[in-house]
Every structure is written in structure tokens, then in C-alpha cells.
Amino acid sequence: MCTDWTQKTQLVVSAIACCIRHVYGAQHPPFDPLLHGTVLKAAPKVPTTPLKAKRVSTFQEFESNTSDAWDAGEDEDELLALAAGSLGSAVVMETARRVLRDHSQRQGRPKLPEALGPEPRPQPSTEPPPASSGDLRLVKSVSESHTSCPAGSASDTVPLQRSQSLPYSASGTLGGAAEPGTCSGGGAALSEREASRLDKFRQLLAGPHTDLEELRRLSWSGIPKPVRPITWKLLSGYLPANVDRRPATLQRKQKEYFAFIDHYYDSRNDEVHQDTYRQIHIDIPRMSPEALILQPKVTEIFERILFIWAIRHPASGYVQGINDLVTPFFVVFICEYIDGEDVAAADVSRVPVDVLRNVEADTYWCMSKLLDGIQDNYTFAQPGIQMKVKMLEELVSRIDEQVHRHLDQHEVRYLQFAFRWMNNLLMRELPLSCTVRLWDTYQSEPEGFAHFHLYVCAAFLVRWRKEILEERDFQELLLFLQNLPTAHWGDEDISLLLAEAYRLKFAFADAPNHYKK
């Protein structure tokens, strides 16, 4: 009698184990409340803790008391055996079939093995569609599909098939999917990752004292659009980290800027300043996006900002190229008030006058903070740019000697194309949306505009090595380098460029002899 019961138990347990291995491979099956609930009722209750805690005097006693704390595998085998002994085979089979059928429906599992008998009805397939073709970045799939295995090999490990991969596309930019030049996602739903990053920024910014180091760390890989204005003001040093001091600081700095306007702006037509103002007046219509810049209110704002900065910084005065550095700040700050619109086509005249005044003052002070770190780029003979172009040449000769030699053989000098890269911080080479993304990282890097920009330019040049090496003519080479095909670049292209620049900085920044001949 005992032998029959043992054989019966073994058969039932083997059947259950077979179907478990068939469906779940080496993994443990999900918890089944029906099965485990019955088992727990059938098993005698053992108190989990003694009524009076016994003091453990030695490590051996402690080990013996806790040695089975994580031994879940043996407990599961005992539960299965108890289930087989306390239930009839029909009940066990029906329970197992119900559990497996339920998980087959939810996860697209194969049909149950024939050892459990026929299913009441076939389940519809929930297998994901095949991955779309194209250049996709693979991420670890949440679910995996099993292939069916022939009878008799159910105990073998079942191979896994890769399910549909998720593409990494430009629509996955931080802060919502937005077309280039728009201020926000226009109501587009945020992905889970974007929403999570936005929450991290908001939690950090909501505190009484913002941790600027943590803010820089988060901002390096991009700032979500809803919090970009306040983040830029903090990272540039315009606003204090203490939340309570910010309103007074804003009010004081805005009042100070318009005091400069009242004091200096009327002198723009004086003989001593008229050349400066005339050059500013000529350069602004050449800026982009034209539809925004050429609006009378915006033109006046840019003229005031540039003229006041030039008057207050006589060591450099106004130099062509400084005008481009106003645009990213103005666009980011004005986007708070034209949400969802294309900034290039937005009608700024609809923005309240007080708001425009605040945006103008904020733009002036943030641009001034930027220029404080690179002012030697714009002093007489622009020595800062001359030095950085020379450093770029030395760096590229170490990074990619073939490209460097190719340019030299065709008598292409770095000053002929890289001067503008340094003077305008690549703004003439990239779409405006890419410049904004690039500046997210620049403002989170120590001396980002002054130092990290060098490595970005090196990575940017080497990015086009194939096209450069294919050109065999001086004129064609120079024409290509001055008109690089970046019109369709997006945030993912900038992210790859920044990653390569960071790699170069890591290799060369702390070892300057590596790029000095």
C-alpha cells in the first residue's frame, strides 16, 4: 500500500515538474494561491518564532538556527509532495492545468504538454510582431517567447527567442517628443524614462537648497524642456541655489539691467559708440531663425543686449560671433510663454510686455556669465580662438593622424574652418535644437564652453573622416568642412558626439603632453 502511494506521488510530481520545466525552463513558476493555499491548510502549523526568544551564545548556534532561511528550493519540493499526497490526481492535474493556462494567456506561452490532457480550447497567440527593420538599438525585452519542444525532451532547457526590440529614435528626446525648433512636446505623452527623469529634476529643484553638483550630473545627458529655463539659470550661476533668495535676486538683476539701458542705450548714436551699434544692427538680420529674429520686438531686444554688453566690456567690445550666443538663451527662456508653438514662427508680440522684459534681462545676464569664461576669444586679435584652434590641430594629429595628414597634404589649414567653430561655438554648424541640447552638457561640465568645447570640435571633425578622406581637392575639402550636412541632426546625434568628446577628454585632458609635439 505504501509502495503504491509512493509511486503515485512520484508520478504526479514528475508530471507537474515536467510541465513546469516545459513552460518556464529553469525558472521557478509563479506562486499559485489555490495550490499553496491548500497545501498550507494540509500541513501542520509550526510557529515561526518561539514564544520566548532564546539568546544565541555562539556563531554555530546562530548558523544552525538560520541555515534554512533562504532554502526555498527544498520547501517547494516538499510542498509539491504534500500536495500530491493530500489531493487526488484529478484535482492536482486540474489545478496545474488552470495555472499554466492562465500564464499561457498572459505571456503568450505555448500550449500545455499532452501529459496533462487536452485543453478545453486553444488560446489565441499573443506573440509580439517581428522587429521592424532599420538601425535599432536593442534593449532587454521584458518577455521572452519559448519554442515548443518535442515530447520526451521536455526536461531539456528550452531556447529563448528575442522578442520585438524597441527603437531608439529622435522622438525619445527628453521632456517629450518635439519637432526641431518647438518649445515643448505640444502635449505629446512622455515615455516612462522621460517622466522619471523629469520627476528627478523637479524633486531636486523643489528642495530649499538645490544641490548644484547633483543638478550638473543629471543635466549632462540632457535637460527636460519643462525645467530647462530654471536649470540653465542655476547652472550658469545667475540664480542662487537657495530657493528663498531667488525672487529677490531676479528682481535686483532685472532692475540693474534696465538701469544700464536707461544710462547707456541713448548713447548708441554718439560718435564714440556709433560704429559698435552700426555693426550690431548689420549682424542681427543675418542670424537665425530669421522668422523669430526679424520680428521688430526681438530685433530691439537683441540690439539692446549686445550694445549694453559691449559698452560694459570695453576690453573686447562687440565682435561678430557674440551675437549668435544670445539666441539659445532667448529661445529657451521665451519657450516658457509660447508653449507648444514652433519658436521660429512664434509671434512674440503676443507675449506680455512685462514677461518680455524679464526674458530680456535673464538672457543678458546668462550670456554675460558665459562670456566671462571665454572673453579672451573676443579681445584684440582673438588670442583665445587662435590658441584653441592650434590645440585642436595638435589633438586631431594624435587622435586620427590619417585625417590630419590628409588635410595637410591638401593645404587645408585648421583656421580656415575651425575658427568659426570656436567663434560661434558650433552654432553655425548645427540646428538650433541641437545647439540647445549641446549647451545642456556645456553648462553641466566644468569650463564646458572654454575647455570641453575643444574635445567636442575634435570629435565633430573626426565624425566626418570618411567624407574627408574621399575628397581629393582643396576647394572641395574646404567647401565640405564649411557646409557640413547636419541639417537633419537630432538629439541622438548630439549624444553620440558628446560621448566621443568625453572619451577624448578622459584620455587627453589630464595628460596634456599627449597632444603636444
mmCIF file of all heavy atoms in Angstrom, residues 213-259:
data_model
loop_
_atom_site.group_PDB
_atom_site.id
_atom_site.type_symbol
_atom_site.label_atom_id
_atom_site.label_comp_id
_atom_site.label_asym_id
_atom_site.label_seq_id
_atom_site.Cartn_x
_atom_site.Cartn_y
_atom_site.Cartn_z
ATOM 1 N N GLU A 213 25.818 70.211 -7.697
ATOM 2 C CA GLU A 213 26.603 69.105 -8.238
ATOM 3 C C GLU A 213 25.696 68.000 -8.763
ATOM 4 O O GLU A 213 25.928 67.437 -9.838
ATOM 5 C CB GLU A 213 27.551 68.546 -7.168
ATOM 6 C CG GLU A 213 28.742 69.441 -6.869
ATOM 7 C CD GLU A 213 29.569 69.723 -8.122
ATOM 8 O OE1 GLU A 213 29.842 68.766 -8.875
ATOM 9 O OE2 GLU A 213 29.916 70.893 -8.370
ATOM 10 N N GLU A 214 24.653 67.685 -8.015
ATOM 11 C CA GLU A 214 23.701 66.678 -8.473
ATOM 12 C C GLU A 214 22.946 67.175 -9.703
ATOM 13 O O GLU A 214 22.658 66.409 -10.627
ATOM 14 C CB GLU A 214 22.723 66.344 -7.351
ATOM 15 C CG GLU A 214 21.659 65.320 -7.709
ATOM 16 C CD GLU A 214 22.216 63.934 -8.038
ATOM 17 O OE1 GLU A 214 23.399 63.677 -7.725
ATOM 18 O OE2 GLU A 214 21.466 63.121 -8.601
ATOM 19 N N LEU A 215 22.639 68.468 -9.742
ATOM 20 C CA LEU A 215 21.950 69.044 -10.900
ATOM 21 C C LEU A 215 22.832 68.948 -12.144
ATOM 22 O O LEU A 215 22.342 68.650 -13.242
ATOM 23 C CB LEU A 215 21.580 70.501 -10.611
ATOM 24 C CG LEU A 215 20.707 71.192 -11.659
ATOM 25 C CD1 LEU A 215 19.362 70.494 -11.795
ATOM 26 C CD2 LEU A 215 20.515 72.668 -11.297
ATOM 27 N N ARG A 216 24.125 69.199 -11.993
ATOM 28 C CA ARG A 216 25.048 69.062 -13.131
ATOM 29 C C ARG A 216 25.106 67.612 -13.595
ATOM 30 O O ARG A 216 25.149 67.348 -14.797
ATOM 31 C CB ARG A 216 26.436 69.553 -12.743
ATOM 32 C CG ARG A 216 26.544 71.056 -12.576
ATOM 33 C CD ARG A 216 27.987 71.500 -12.403
ATOM 34 N NE ARG A 216 28.057 72.946 -12.163
ATOM 35 C CZ ARG A 216 28.140 73.486 -10.952
ATOM 36 N NH1 ARG A 216 28.193 72.709 -9.887
ATOM 37 N NH2 ARG A 216 28.186 74.801 -10.813
ATOM 38 N N ARG A 217 25.136 66.700 -12.648
ATOM 39 C CA ARG A 217 25.206 65.280 -13.012
ATOM 40 C C ARG A 217 23.969 64.860 -13.817
ATOM 41 O O ARG A 217 24.085 64.169 -14.834
ATOM 42 C CB ARG A 217 25.319 64.431 -11.748
ATOM 43 C CG ARG A 217 25.602 62.951 -12.008
ATOM 44 C CD ARG A 217 25.488 62.132 -10.741
ATOM 45 N NE ARG A 217 24.132 62.088 -10.253
ATOM 46 C CZ ARG A 217 23.182 61.292 -10.750
ATOM 47 N NH1 ARG A 217 23.451 60.476 -11.755
ATOM 48 N NH2 ARG A 217 21.966 61.298 -10.248
ATOM 49 N N LEU A 218 22.800 65.301 -13.374
ATOM 50 C CA LEU A 218 21.567 64.968 -14.096
ATOM 51 C C LEU A 218 21.511 65.652 -15.458
ATOM 52 O O LEU A 218 20.999 65.098 -16.433
ATOM 53 C CB LEU A 218 20.348 65.393 -13.271
ATOM 54 C CG LEU A 218 19.947 64.517 -12.084
ATOM 55 C CD1 LEU A 218 18.773 65.141 -11.345
ATOM 56 C CD2 LEU A 218 19.578 63.110 -12.542
ATOM 57 N N SER A 219 22.040 66.879 -15.531
ATOM 58 C CA SER A 219 21.900 67.680 -16.748
ATOM 59 C C SER A 219 22.846 67.265 -17.854
ATOM 60 O O SER A 219 22.632 67.629 -19.014
ATOM 61 C CB SER A 219 22.138 69.168 -16.425
ATOM 62 O OG SER A 219 21.228 69.619 -15.454
ATOM 63 N N TRP A 220 23.899 66.517 -17.528
ATOM 64 C CA TRP A 220 24.906 66.182 -18.533
ATOM 65 C C TRP A 220 24.290 65.464 -19.731
ATOM 66 O O TRP A 220 24.652 65.727 -20.877
ATOM 67 C CB TRP A 220 26.002 65.319 -17.915
ATOM 68 C CG TRP A 220 27.309 65.394 -18.641
ATOM 69 C CD1 TRP A 220 28.390 66.151 -18.321
ATOM 70 C CD2 TRP A 220 27.677 64.675 -19.839
ATOM 71 N NE1 TRP A 220 29.407 65.975 -19.224
ATOM 72 C CE2 TRP A 220 29.000 65.063 -20.178
ATOM 73 C CE3 TRP A 220 27.033 63.764 -20.658
ATOM 74 C CZ2 TRP A 220 29.678 64.569 -21.279
ATOM 75 C CZ3 TRP A 220 27.707 63.265 -21.771
ATOM 76 C CH2 TRP A 220 29.013 63.665 -22.068
ATOM 77 N N SER A 221 23.369 64.584 -19.484
ATOM 78 C CA SER A 221 22.752 63.813 -20.572
ATOM 79 C C SER A 221 21.478 64.457 -21.099
ATOM 80 O O SER A 221 20.695 63.811 -21.796
ATOM 81 C CB SER A 221 22.458 62.387 -20.113
ATOM 82 O OG SER A 221 21.663 62.379 -18.942
ATOM 83 N N GLY A 222 21.272 65.725 -20.806
ATOM 84 C CA GLY A 222 20.117 66.436 -21.354
ATOM 85 C C GLY A 222 19.148 66.872 -20.268
ATOM 86 O O GLY A 222 18.961 66.171 -19.277
ATOM 87 N N ILE A 223 18.540 68.031 -20.475
ATOM 88 C CA ILE A 223 17.602 68.599 -19.504
ATOM 89 C C ILE A 223 16.200 68.567 -20.097
ATOM 90 O O ILE A 223 15.997 69.019 -21.232
ATOM 91 C CB ILE A 223 17.988 70.053 -19.164
ATOM 92 C CG1 ILE A 223 19.427 70.108 -18.625
ATOM 93 C CG2 ILE A 223 17.021 70.653 -18.155
ATOM 94 C CD1 ILE A 223 19.960 71.520 -18.469
ATOM 95 N N PRO A 224 15.204 68.040 -19.386
ATOM 96 C CA PRO A 224 13.828 68.069 -19.901
ATOM 97 C C PRO A 224 13.365 69.505 -20.151
ATOM 98 O O PRO A 224 13.693 70.425 -19.393
ATOM 99 C CB PRO A 224 13.019 67.403 -18.783
ATOM 100 C CG PRO A 224 14.009 66.578 -18.021
ATOM 101 C CD PRO A 224 15.305 67.327 -18.101
ATOM 102 N N LYS A 225 12.616 69.701 -21.206
ATOM 103 C CA LYS A 225 12.213 71.053 -21.610
ATOM 104 C C LYS A 225 11.454 71.821 -20.536
ATOM 105 O O LYS A 225 11.683 73.021 -20.378
ATOM 106 C CB LYS A 225 11.387 70.969 -22.899
ATOM 107 C CG LYS A 225 12.187 70.489 -24.093
ATOM 108 C CD LYS A 225 11.298 70.362 -25.328
ATOM 109 C CE LYS A 225 12.098 69.823 -26.508
ATOM 110 N NZ LYS A 225 12.522 68.432 -26.304
ATOM 111 N N PRO A 226 10.534 71.199 -19.789
ATOM 112 C CA PRO A 226 9.788 71.988 -18.800
ATOM 113 C C PRO A 226 10.658 72.622 -17.720
ATOM 114 O O PRO A 226 10.277 73.647 -17.150
ATOM 115 C CB PRO A 226 8.811 70.961 -18.190
ATOM 116 C CG PRO A 226 8.658 69.909 -19.237
ATOM 117 C CD PRO A 226 9.992 69.820 -19.907
ATOM 118 N N VAL A 227 11.812 72.028 -17.416
ATOM 119 C CA VAL A 227 12.662 72.569 -16.345
ATOM 120 C C VAL A 227 13.964 73.160 -16.887
ATOM 121 O O VAL A 227 14.837 73.535 -16.111
ATOM 122 C CB VAL A 227 12.986 71.477 -15.299
ATOM 123 C CG1 VAL A 227 11.737 71.034 -14.576
ATOM 124 C CG2 VAL A 227 13.688 70.283 -15.940
ATOM 125 N N ARG A 228 14.098 73.250 -18.200
ATOM 126 C CA ARG A 228 15.343 73.766 -18.765
ATOM 127 C C ARG A 228 15.588 75.239 -18.416
ATOM 128 O O ARG A 228 16.728 75.596 -18.075
ATOM 129 C CB ARG A 228 15.350 73.569 -20.285
ATOM 130 C CG ARG A 228 16.636 74.035 -20.954
ATOM 131 C CD ARG A 228 16.653 73.674 -22.422
ATOM 132 N NE ARG A 228 17.090 72.315 -22.660
ATOM 133 C CZ ARG A 228 16.555 71.497 -23.569
ATOM 134 N NH1 ARG A 228 15.539 71.905 -24.302
ATOM 135 N NH2 ARG A 228 17.034 70.282 -23.729
ATOM 136 N N PRO A 229 14.599 76.137 -18.473
ATOM 137 C CA PRO A 229 14.885 77.550 -18.149
ATOM 138 C C PRO A 229 15.468 77.730 -16.745
ATOM 139 O O PRO A 229 16.502 78.377 -16.586
ATOM 140 C CB PRO A 229 13.513 78.228 -18.302
ATOM 141 C CG PRO A 229 12.774 77.374 -19.279
ATOM 142 C CD PRO A 229 13.213 75.975 -18.989
ATOM 143 N N ILE A 230 14.829 77.176 -15.724
ATOM 144 C CA ILE A 230 15.318 77.351 -14.362
ATOM 145 C C ILE A 230 16.657 76.649 -14.173
ATOM 146 O O ILE A 230 17.551 77.149 -13.473
ATOM 147 C CB ILE A 230 14.268 76.833 -13.341
ATOM 148 C CG1 ILE A 230 14.760 77.050 -11.907
ATOM 149 C CG2 ILE A 230 13.959 75.369 -13.558
ATOM 150 C CD1 ILE A 230 14.867 78.487 -11.504
ATOM 151 N N THR A 231 16.845 75.501 -14.848
ATOM 152 C CA THR A 231 18.109 74.771 -14.716
ATOM 153 C C THR A 231 19.258 75.551 -15.338
ATOM 154 O O THR A 231 20.350 75.635 -14.760
ATOM 155 C CB THR A 231 17.989 73.383 -15.370
ATOM 156 O OG1 THR A 231 16.902 72.671 -14.773
ATOM 157 C CG2 THR A 231 19.262 72.576 -15.174
ATOM 158 N N TRP A 232 19.056 76.136 -16.493
ATOM 159 C CA TRP A 232 20.103 76.945 -17.126
ATOM 160 C C TRP A 232 20.465 78.140 -16.246
ATOM 161 O O TRP A 232 21.645 78.490 -16.124
ATOM 162 C CB TRP A 232 19.639 77.425 -18.500
ATOM 163 C CG TRP A 232 19.867 76.430 -19.600
ATOM 164 C CD1 TRP A 232 19.935 75.074 -19.471
ATOM 165 C CD2 TRP A 232 20.065 76.717 -20.988
ATOM 166 N NE1 TRP A 232 20.148 74.487 -20.691
ATOM 167 C CE2 TRP A 232 20.235 75.473 -21.649
ATOM 168 C CE3 TRP A 232 20.096 77.879 -21.735
ATOM 169 C CZ2 TRP A 232 20.447 75.382 -23.020
ATOM 170 C CZ3 TRP A 232 20.305 77.791 -23.114
ATOM 171 C CH2 TRP A 232 20.481 76.554 -23.746
ATOM 172 N N LYS A 233 19.473 78.779 -15.647
ATOM 173 C CA LYS A 233 19.757 79.934 -14.791
ATOM 174 C C LYS A 233 20.581 79.539 -13.574
ATOM 175 O O LYS A 233 21.450 80.300 -13.119
ATOM 176 C CB LYS A 233 18.441 80.590 -14.357
ATOM 177 C CG LYS A 233 17.680 81.264 -15.501
ATOM 178 C CD LYS A 233 16.294 81.716 -15.045
ATOM 179 C CE LYS A 233 15.468 82.215 -16.231
ATOM 180 N NZ LYS A 233 14.085 82.593 -15.827
ATOM 181 N N LEU A 234 20.320 78.349 -13.055
ATOM 182 C CA LEU A 234 21.088 77.871 -11.907
ATOM 183 C C LEU A 234 22.499 77.461 -12.309
ATOM 184 O O LEU A 234 23.479 77.810 -11.646
ATOM 185 C CB LEU A 234 20.365 76.695 -11.253
ATOM 186 C CG LEU A 234 19.112 77.036 -10.432
ATOM 187 C CD1 LEU A 234 18.304 75.777 -10.142
ATOM 188 C CD2 LEU A 234 19.493 77.733 -9.137
ATOM 189 N N LEU A 235 22.618 76.703 -13.404
ATOM 190 C CA LEU A 235 23.935 76.203 -13.810
ATOM 191 C C LEU A 235 24.851 77.323 -14.294
ATOM 192 O O LEU A 235 26.077 77.227 -14.176
ATOM 193 C CB LEU A 235 23.771 75.147 -14.920
ATOM 194 C CG LEU A 235 23.090 73.835 -14.509
ATOM 195 C CD1 LEU A 235 22.996 72.890 -15.701
ATOM 196 C CD2 LEU A 235 23.830 73.155 -13.367
ATOM 197 N N SER A 236 24.283 78.374 -14.840
ATOM 198 C CA SER A 236 25.109 79.489 -15.305
ATOM 199 C C SER A 236 25.594 80.374 -14.163
ATOM 200 O O SER A 236 26.454 81.231 -14.364
ATOM 201 C CB SER A 236 24.329 80.342 -16.314
ATOM 202 O OG SER A 236 23.237 80.985 -15.677
ATOM 203 N N GLY A 237 25.030 80.177 -12.968
ATOM 204 C CA GLY A 237 25.413 80.999 -11.827
ATOM 205 C C GLY A 237 24.611 82.279 -11.696
ATOM 206 O O GLY A 237 24.909 83.128 -10.860
ATOM 207 N N TYR A 238 23.577 82.405 -12.513
ATOM 208 C CA TYR A 238 22.735 83.603 -12.470
ATOM 209 C C TYR A 238 21.836 83.594 -11.239
ATOM 210 O O TYR A 238 21.671 84.614 -10.558
ATOM 211 C CB TYR A 238 21.927 83.685 -13.767
ATOM 212 C CG TYR A 238 20.852 84.749 -13.813
ATOM 213 C CD1 TYR A 238 21.104 86.045 -13.394
ATOM 214 C CD2 TYR A 238 19.587 84.467 -14.318
ATOM 215 C CE1 TYR A 238 20.123 87.032 -13.455
ATOM 216 C CE2 TYR A 238 18.604 85.427 -14.400
ATOM 217 C CZ TYR A 238 18.877 86.703 -13.959
ATOM 218 O OH TYR A 238 17.896 87.678 -14.022
ATOM 219 N N LEU A 239 21.243 82.440 -10.931
ATOM 220 C CA LEU A 239 20.383 82.312 -9.759
ATOM 221 C C LEU A 239 21.118 81.581 -8.642
ATOM 222 O O LEU A 239 21.916 80.676 -8.902
ATOM 223 C CB LEU A 239 19.101 81.547 -10.113
ATOM 224 C CG LEU A 239 18.035 82.278 -10.919
ATOM 225 C CD1 LEU A 239 16.810 81.387 -11.090
ATOM 226 C CD2 LEU A 239 17.642 83.588 -10.245
ATOM 227 N N PRO A 240 20.828 81.918 -7.383
ATOM 228 C CA PRO A 240 21.452 81.203 -6.262
ATOM 229 C C PRO A 240 20.794 79.845 -6.038
ATOM 230 O O PRO A 240 19.650 79.614 -6.445
ATOM 231 C CB PRO A 240 21.203 82.137 -5.077
ATOM 232 C CG PRO A 240 19.955 82.883 -5.443
ATOM 233 C CD PRO A 240 19.988 83.043 -6.937
ATOM 234 N N ALA A 241 21.509 78.959 -5.360
ATOM 235 C CA ALA A 241 20.973 77.627 -5.069
ATOM 236 C C ALA A 241 19.858 77.681 -4.039
ATOM 237 O O ALA A 241 18.969 76.830 -4.026
ATOM 238 C CB ALA A 241 22.098 76.700 -4.589
ATOM 239 N N ASN A 242 19.882 78.697 -3.188
ATOM 240 C CA ASN A 242 18.866 78.839 -2.150
ATOM 241 C C ASN A 242 17.562 79.357 -2.751
ATOM 242 O O ASN A 242 17.532 80.419 -3.388
ATOM 243 C CB ASN A 242 19.375 79.799 -1.064
ATOM 244 C CG ASN A 242 18.439 79.852 0.129
ATOM 245 O OD1 ASN A 242 17.351 80.400 0.035
ATOM 246 N ND2 ASN A 242 18.875 79.289 1.242
ATOM 247 N N VAL A 243 16.491 78.608 -2.561
ATOM 248 C CA VAL A 243 15.208 78.948 -3.185
ATOM 249 C C VAL A 243 14.680 80.285 -2.662
ATOM 250 O O VAL A 243 14.131 81.087 -3.433
ATOM 251 C CB VAL A 243 14.179 77.826 -2.931
ATOM 252 C CG1 VAL A 243 12.800 78.225 -3.442
ATOM 253 C CG2 VAL A 243 14.621 76.538 -3.595
ATOM 254 N N ASP A 244 14.833 80.545 -1.378
ATOM 255 C CA ASP A 244 14.259 81.762 -0.794
ATOM 256 C C ASP A 244 14.912 83.034 -1.331
ATOM 257 O O ASP A 244 14.295 84.100 -1.320
ATOM 258 C CB ASP A 244 14.412 81.721 0.737
ATOM 259 C CG ASP A 244 13.606 80.584 1.365
ATOM 260 O OD1 ASP A 244 12.604 80.177 0.737
ATOM 261 O OD2 ASP A 244 13.984 80.108 2.451
ATOM 262 N N ARG A 245 16.145 82.931 -1.800
ATOM 263 C CA ARG A 245 16.856 84.109 -2.295
ATOM 264 C C ARG A 245 16.573 84.413 -3.765
ATOM 265 O O ARG A 245 16.938 85.487 -4.260
ATOM 266 C CB ARG A 245 18.366 83.910 -2.106
ATOM 267 C CG ARG A 245 18.832 83.899 -0.664
ATOM 268 C CD ARG A 245 20.308 83.574 -0.581
ATOM 269 N NE ARG A 245 21.090 84.452 -1.452
ATOM 270 C CZ ARG A 245 22.298 84.152 -1.911
ATOM 271 N NH1 ARG A 245 22.857 82.988 -1.600
ATOM 272 N NH2 ARG A 245 22.946 84.997 -2.692
ATOM 273 N N ARG A 246 15.968 83.487 -4.470
ATOM 274 C CA ARG A 246 15.816 83.649 -5.918
ATOM 275 C C ARG A 246 14.913 84.817 -6.318
ATOM 276 O O ARG A 246 15.272 85.589 -7.218
ATOM 277 C CB ARG A 246 15.312 82.342 -6.547
ATOM 278 C CG ARG A 246 16.363 81.254 -6.551
ATOM 279 C CD ARG A 246 15.819 79.939 -7.061
ATOM 280 N NE ARG A 246 16.725 78.844 -6.734
ATOM 281 C CZ ARG A 246 16.416 77.556 -6.860
ATOM 282 N NH1 ARG A 246 15.219 77.213 -7.315
ATOM 283 N NH2 ARG A 246 17.293 76.631 -6.533
ATOM 284 N N PRO A 247 13.720 84.978 -5.726
ATOM 285 C CA PRO A 247 12.875 86.109 -6.175
ATOM 286 C C PRO A 247 13.571 87.456 -6.016
ATOM 287 O O PRO A 247 13.508 88.304 -6.913
ATOM 288 C CB PRO A 247 11.646 85.989 -5.259
ATOM 289 C CG PRO A 247 11.607 84.552 -4.849
ATOM 290 C CD PRO A 247 13.029 84.128 -4.732
ATOM 291 N N ALA A 248 14.252 87.659 -4.883
ATOM 292 C CA ALA A 248 14.946 88.934 -4.662
ATOM 293 C C ALA A 248 16.094 89.109 -5.651
ATOM 294 O O ALA A 248 16.336 90.219 -6.153
ATOM 295 C CB ALA A 248 15.468 89.001 -3.224
ATOM 296 N N THR A 249 16.800 87.999 -5.957
ATOM 297 C CA THR A 249 17.910 88.078 -6.918
ATOM 298 C C THR A 249 17.399 88.439 -8.306
ATOM 299 O O THR A 249 17.972 89.300 -8.991
ATOM 300 C CB THR A 249 18.661 86.731 -6.968
ATOM 301 O OG1 THR A 249 19.178 86.438 -5.675
ATOM 302 C CG2 THR A 249 19.801 86.786 -7.971
ATOM 303 N N LEU A 250 16.323 87.797 -8.742
ATOM 304 C CA LEU A 250 15.748 88.101 -10.053
ATOM 305 C C LEU A 250 15.329 89.566 -10.129
ATOM 306 O O LEU A 250 15.623 90.266 -11.104
ATOM 307 C CB LEU A 250 14.547 87.198 -10.324
ATOM 308 C CG LEU A 250 14.831 85.782 -10.814
ATOM 309 C CD1 LEU A 250 13.537 84.979 -10.881
ATOM 310 C CD2 LEU A 250 15.484 85.814 -12.192
ATOM 311 N N GLN A 251 14.649 90.015 -9.107
ATOM 312 C CA GLN A 251 14.167 91.394 -9.109
ATOM 313 C C GLN A 251 15.338 92.380 -9.150
ATOM 314 O O GLN A 251 15.314 93.378 -9.896
ATOM 315 C CB GLN A 251 13.306 91.638 -7.865
ATOM 316 C CG GLN A 251 12.642 93.000 -7.840
ATOM 317 C CD GLN A 251 11.724 93.153 -6.635
ATOM 318 O OE1 GLN A 251 11.680 92.285 -5.771
ATOM 319 N NE2 GLN A 251 10.993 94.255 -6.584
ATOM 320 N N ARG A 252 16.375 92.101 -8.361
ATOM 321 C CA ARG A 252 17.522 93.001 -8.317
ATOM 322 C C ARG A 252 18.272 93.029 -9.650
ATOM 323 O O ARG A 252 18.641 94.106 -10.147
ATOM 324 C CB ARG A 252 18.461 92.565 -7.194
ATOM 325 C CG ARG A 252 19.749 93.380 -7.109
ATOM 326 C CD ARG A 252 20.520 93.019 -5.849
ATOM 327 N NE ARG A 252 20.779 91.593 -5.766
ATOM 328 C CZ ARG A 252 21.797 90.970 -6.376
ATOM 329 N NH1 ARG A 252 22.630 91.676 -7.142
ATOM 330 N NH2 ARG A 252 21.973 89.680 -6.232
ATOM 331 N N LYS A 253 18.499 91.855 -10.248
ATOM 332 C CA LYS A 253 19.265 91.791 -11.503
ATOM 333 C C LYS A 253 18.477 92.399 -12.666
ATOM 334 O O LYS A 253 19.061 93.063 -13.541
ATOM 335 C CB LYS A 253 19.637 90.341 -11.821
ATOM 336 C CG LYS A 253 20.508 89.666 -10.776
ATOM 337 C CD LYS A 253 21.826 90.377 -10.578
ATOM 338 C CE LYS A 253 22.827 90.067 -11.650
ATOM 339 N NZ LYS A 253 24.163 90.651 -11.374
ATOM 340 N N GLN A 254 17.171 92.191 -12.684
ATOM 341 C CA GLN A 254 16.360 92.788 -13.747
ATOM 342 C C GLN A 254 16.333 94.308 -13.617
ATOM 343 O O GLN A 254 16.440 95.040 -14.615
ATOM 344 C CB GLN A 254 14.949 92.206 -13.702
ATOM 345 C CG GLN A 254 14.893 90.741 -14.136
ATOM 346 C CD GLN A 254 13.597 90.046 -13.763
ATOM 347 O OE1 GLN A 254 12.705 90.655 -13.156
ATOM 348 N NE2 GLN A 254 13.491 88.754 -14.087
ATOM 349 N N LYS A 255 16.246 94.777 -12.387
ATOM 350 C CA LYS A 255 16.269 96.227 -12.164
ATOM 351 C C LYS A 255 17.626 96.806 -12.566
ATOM 352 O O LYS A 255 17.702 97.885 -13.175
ATOM 353 C CB LYS A 255 15.982 96.503 -10.685
ATOM 354 C CG LYS A 255 15.900 97.975 -10.335
ATOM 355 C CD LYS A 255 15.564 98.168 -8.862
ATOM 356 C CE LYS A 255 15.505 99.650 -8.507
ATOM 357 N NZ LYS A 255 15.193 99.844 -7.054
ATOM 358 N N GLU A 256 18.691 96.085 -12.271
ATOM 359 C CA GLU A 256 20.039 96.539 -12.607
ATOM 360 C C GLU A 256 20.223 96.607 -14.121
ATOM 361 O O GLU A 256 20.815 97.564 -14.644
ATOM 362 C CB GLU A 256 21.059 95.582 -11.984
ATOM 363 C CG GLU A 256 22.504 96.030 -12.106
ATOM 364 C CD GLU A 256 23.449 95.083 -11.397
ATOM 365 O OE1 GLU A 256 22.964 94.187 -10.668
ATOM 366 O OE2 GLU A 256 24.676 95.228 -11.589
ATOM 367 N N TYR A 257 19.727 95.611 -14.852
ATOM 368 C CA TYR A 257 19.878 95.610 -16.309
ATOM 369 C C TYR A 257 19.176 96.811 -16.934
ATOM 370 O O TYR A 257 19.737 97.500 -17.806
ATOM 371 C CB TYR A 257 19.331 94.314 -16.896
ATOM 372 C CG TYR A 257 19.220 94.333 -18.404
ATOM 373 C CD1 TYR A 257 20.352 94.287 -19.203
ATOM 374 C CD2 TYR A 257 17.978 94.430 -19.035
ATOM 375 C CE1 TYR A 257 20.264 94.333 -20.590
ATOM 376 C CE2 TYR A 257 17.870 94.473 -20.411
ATOM 377 C CZ TYR A 257 19.021 94.418 -21.188
ATOM 378 O OH TYR A 257 18.927 94.470 -22.554
ATOM 379 N N PHE A 258 17.968 97.075 -16.506
ATOM 380 C CA PHE A 258 17.235 98.191 -17.128
ATOM 381 C C PHE A 258 17.777 99.545 -16.664
ATOM 382 O O PHE A 258 17.568 100.559 -17.352
ATOM 383 C CB PHE A 258 15.733 98.047 -16.861
ATOM 384 C CG PHE A 258 15.113 96.971 -17.714
ATOM 385 C CD1 PHE A 258 14.794 95.735 -17.194
ATOM 386 C CD2 PHE A 258 14.904 97.193 -19.069
ATOM 387 C CE1 PHE A 258 14.261 94.729 -17.994
ATOM 388 C CE2 PHE A 258 14.364 96.193 -19.883
ATOM 389 C CZ PHE A 258 14.045 94.963 -19.340
ATOM 390 N N ALA A 259 18.492 99.560 -15.569
ATOM 391 C CA ALA A 259 19.223 100.778 -15.213
ATOM 392 C C ALA A 259 20.357 101.020 -16.209
ATOM 393 O O ALA A 259 20.642 102.174 -16.579
ATOM 394 C CB ALA A 259 19.769 100.664 -13.790
#
